[in-house]
Amino acid sequence: MIEKANIVVIGTGGTIAGQGKAASNTSAYMCSVLGIDDILTTIPHASLPVNLRAEQLLQTGSENFTNEHLLAIGKRVSTLLAQDDIDGVVIAHGTDTIEETAYFLHLTLKSRKPVVVVGSMRPPSAMSSDAPLNLYDAIAVAAHPSSIGMGTLVVANDEIHTARDVVKSNSFKIEAFRSPYGPLGYVIDGRPRYYRHPARAHTLATPWSAGTLGSLPAVDIVYAYGALEPATVNAIAARAQGLIFAGTGNGSVAAHLIEPLRNAVRRGVHVVRASRTGNGIVVQNGAQPDEAYSWLAVDDQVPSKARILLMLALTQSRDLQVLQTVFERY
Ligand code: GLU
């Protein structure tokens, strides 16, 4: 007899918990109204080798998630993973910021047990909703031994993505999730098939633990455009301990913004040069003399996730070389 995996499914809201007035409402609907127990009734989980337990942790759109929400999810998942009778965790989540929560968990959970974050682009009430299949696949991935040690995964649209790479890259399509180097694998007929492993360090190989983290430092993102004023940069930098500068192209910085960013550094703010393109590498000392300015270069991470990484890095060190290494290691 096949041993059944014990999987906990956590509800947090989002479209996967949404409901529209009519089946034709694929875009106009109420988010975060269905409880996780109701969502689970939409899938044929009896056909999966799992014992399911559901719990409702939050009930809100993921655009509302603050650092405190991240910590609350991280601490709850850490507690669950520490229990011998739990084999994996699935988190049903809004898709807007799924990449931030998943990356935070990927870097802070101290376990090899599978953790899968899942959302949907259409509510369960819509025609051709992706909610039931995405949730079914997420549970199948969390329950499968091949997912052990992969870190946190995001499952959507038949694909299994590593939390490190995945970003939401479309506002309405089912094909909303993209990893720049491709997904790790696919789910077909309730069975994951992996073709690669995450190359960068995660979970047990990081110095951060969601279970013990207190608070997270304020790190903000500045989105660059030609008419961006120094006053705007100064105002954002005034409250931050770290700043992700989402520059144009390969992390370019307009001439009139160099001094405001250097002044931020002089006041103790850690500035990371990133790119607003959503793809590609920002090379240290490439478009700007980062070391001379005491700036950091993001490597290939998108601004939303660079913010997560810098927050975590700043809980451990303020040393520029150490911080630069973090961007090249995780
Ligand atoms: N904005 C909502 C959220 O991120 C709904 C989007 C979705 O889940 O697809 O929770």
Side-chain angles (χ1 to χ4, degrees):
M1 201 177 84
I2 300 173
E3 188 120 340
K4 288 187 171 188
N6 296 315
I7 303 296
V8 179
V9 185
I10 296 176
T12 69
T15 295
I16 198 164
Q19 199 158 34
K21 288 205 177 87
S24 54
N25 291 134
T26 54
S27 262
Y29 53 85
M30 292 266 294
C31 273
S32 315
V33 290
L34 299 176
I36 190 65
D37 289 318
D38 295 329
I39 308 169
L40 282 169
T41 62
T42 65
I43 64 164
H45 48 77
S47 61
L48 287 169
V50 291
N51 297 311
L52 287 183
R53 202 178 91 201
E55 66 176 58
Q56 193 77 46
L57 184 60
L58 301 166
Q59 186 65 299
T60 187
S62 66
E63 66 274 20
N64 302 319
F65 282 16
T66 63
N67 292 344
E68 282 63 46
H69 291 93
L70 291 181
L71 287 165
I73 295 172
K75 287 183 191 303
R76 183 62 193 144
V77 177
S78 294
T79 301
L80 291 169
L81 295 177
Q83 296 175 20
D84 290 340
D85 60 348
I86 291 176
D87 300 306
V89 173
V90 171
I91 302 152
H93 195 290
T95 59
D96 287 12
T97 65
I98 203 168
E99 66 213 46
E100 281 113 306
T101 302
Y103 192 39
F104 177 75
L105 298 176
H106 190 63
L107 294 171
T108 61
L109 294 176
K110 300 292 113 186
S111 174
R112 286 173 52 78
K113 293 179 185 175
V115 173
V116 181
V117 193
V118 62
S120 72
M121 295 300 291
R122 295 176 184 161
S125 53
M127 276 187 288
S128 290
S129 173
D130 52 336
L133 183 59
N134 284 355
L135 183 58
Y136 183 86
D137 285 350
I139 294 168
V141 169
H144 202 274
S146 61
S147 304
I148 293 170
M150 289 286 197
T152 300
L153 303 163
V154 171
V155 168
N157 197 34
D158 305 324
E159 296 178 339
I160 308 168
H161 294 266
T162 167
R164 184 197 181 265
D165 293 347
V166 72
V167 285
K168 183 174 183 180
S169 61
N170 192 281
S171 62
F172 78 100
K173 285 166 61 172
I174 297 282
E175 299 85 7
F177 298 94
R178 179 184 57 78
S179 290
Y181 316 109
L184 297 182
Y186 300 95
V187 199
I188 301 173
D189 289 346
R191 196 193 122 198
R193 293 159 191 261
Y194 288 99
Y195 299 93
R196 60 181 103 215
H197 287 87
R200 297 287 182 105
H202 59 81
T203 53
L204 296 173
T206 80
W208 309 293
S209 169
T212 56
L213 272 172
S215 58
L216 292 165
V219 173
D220 288 311
I221 301 171
V222 176
Y223 187 94
Y225 46 94
L228 178 60
E229 296 278 346
T232 309
V233 174
N234 293 340
I236 296 171
R239 51 148 260 142
Q241 295 182 44
L243 201 68
I244 309 296
F245 185 82
T248 52
N250 60 349
S252 302
V253 181
H256 63 279
L257 297 178
I258 290 175
E259 268 316 294
L261 289 172
R262 294 193 69 188
N263 282 334
V265 170
R266 291 178 190 116
R267 292 195 305 272
V269 181
H270 293 275
V271 172
V272 179
R273 205 163 54 78
S275 170
R276 71 174 199 182
T277 61
N279 253 312
I281 298 167
V282 172
V283 176
Q284 191 185 23
N285 302 323
Q288 290 288 334
D290 296 301
E291 277 180 299
Y293 293 170
S294 299
W295 295 348
L296 302 158
V298 79
D299 190 16
D300 69 337
Q301 200 49 278
V302 294
S304 59
K305 291 158 81 174
R307 186 185 79 87
I308 301 291
L309 186 53
L310 184 58
M311 286 195 300
L312 290 170
L314 290 175
T315 66
Q316 293 266 317
S317 177
R318 303 277 156 155
D319 180 90
L320 283 178
Q321 268 179 355
V322 172
L323 293 172
Q324 185 59 60
T325 308
V326 163
F327 281 96
E328 282 151 30
R329 183 170 162 76
Y330 300 102

